[in-house]
């Protein structure tokens, strides 16, 4: 819980690199304790990918989300809101990484 709050705080004050680092620790802890298919792990992966994109690594964000979407579909189903949001975010970051962003979400 403390890591999640710390990552959020760092993101809010603009320390995106710090937020990414703390979120990576959070993901490692959640994976170890909860397992790779736990909904909190999937949400943490989604949030971490978006933080990477906001920190300037659009390609890394896109790749992480493109790996996440099949896991979201398997665990939650293709139409679950979190799956849909991850799919949209993957497209957004891929477009930004490729320089084809349309400015829509």
């Amino acid at each position: 819980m403390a890591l999640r709050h710390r990552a959020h705080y760092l993101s809010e004050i603009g320390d995106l690199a710090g937020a990414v680092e703390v979120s990576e620790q959070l993901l490692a802890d959640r994976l170890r304790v909860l397992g790779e298919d736990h909904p909190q792990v999937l949400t943490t992966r989604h949030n971490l990918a978006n933080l990477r994109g906001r920190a300037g690594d659009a390609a890394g964000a896109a790749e992480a989300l493109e790996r996440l979407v099949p896991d979201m579909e398997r665990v939650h189903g293709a139409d679950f809101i979190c799956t849909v949001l991850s799919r949209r975010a993957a497209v957004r970051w891929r477009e930004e990484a490729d320089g084809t962003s349309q400015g829509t979400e």
Side-chain angles (χ1 to χ4, degrees), residues 26-93:
L26 176 61
L27 177 59
D29 287 351
R30 285 185 169 175
L31 277 167
R32 182 178 43 80
V33 173
L34 301 172
E36 65 184 31
D37 287 340
H38 193 280
Q40 288 182 7
V41 170
L42 298 175
T43 298
T44 302
R45 288 174 58 194
H46 174 93
N47 293 340
L48 176 56
N50 279 312
L51 277 172
R52 283 195 177 112
R54 290 178 50 214
D57 183 9
E63 291 166 9
L65 286 158
E66 289 163 355
R67 287 190 306 270
L68 174 60
V69 168
D71 295 338
M72 285 282 205
E73 289 175 346
R74 181 173 40 78
V75 172
H76 294 300
D79 295 329
F80 186 68
I81 187 65
C82 293
T83 305
V84 172
L85 292 173
S86 292
R87 191 178 304 111
R88 286 181 186 167
V91 169
R92 174 181 175 244
W93 289 118

